[in-house]
């Protein structure tokens, strides 16, 4: 099954989760109920799917959330040090840690940050 987490900036501005099975020519879309920006996903070795996105409420931040494809929901796990103009994370699993790169302007000027996160 292929998954696509989509930023959507019209109407309710809620993000969407798309799912499709091979040959991936028919997609089903569901609102996730949150405004998201710059979405990125990775599957952990235990099968959980982590989404890194910009969340907007109650303040803008880059966040790691657990994605539940069955219910099309994101549950925030941790807000990374961030704010203002922040987003476009990239993720990789290395040495048992989730490494997350992202940019943020919460320290006066826009800078690139690297977070290492341990999941249990």
């Amino acid at each position: 099954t292929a998954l696509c987490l989509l930023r959507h900036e019209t109407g309710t501005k809620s993000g969407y989760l798309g799912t499709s099975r091979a040959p991936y020519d028919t997609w089903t879309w569901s609102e996730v109920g949150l405004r998201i920006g710059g979405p990125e996903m990775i599957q952990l070795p235990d099968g959980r799917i982590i989404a890194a996105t910009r969340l907007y409420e109650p303040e803008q931040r880059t966040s790691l959330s657990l994605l539940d494809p069955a219910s099309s929901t994101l549950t925030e796990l941790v807000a990374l040090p961030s704010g203002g103009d922040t987003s476009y994370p990239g993720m990789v699993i290395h040495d048992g840690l989730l490494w997350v790169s992202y940019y943020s302007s919460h320290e006066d000027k826009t800078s690139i940050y690297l977070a290492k996160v341990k999941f249990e």
Side-chain angles (χ1 to χ4, degrees), residues 46-108:
D46 66 8
R48 290 179 291 173
I49 300 171
I50 301 300
T53 65
R54 177 193 302 194
L55 293 180
Y56 290 84
E57 300 296 333
E59 68 276 329
Q60 291 189 62
R61 65 205 178 278
T62 294
S63 176
L64 299 179
S65 298
L66 181 65
L67 172 66
D68 180 353
S71 63
S72 299
T73 57
L74 292 171
T75 303
E76 186 174 26
L77 300 173
V78 63
L80 299 175
S82 57
D85 186 16
T86 181
S87 195
Y88 298 107
M91 296 184 287
V92 65
I93 297 172
H94 178 67
D95 289 338
L97 296 174
L98 177 64
W99 293 49
V100 185
S101 65
Y102 61 100
Y103 78 88
S104 179
S105 64
H106 69 286
E107 294 183 315
D108 295 326

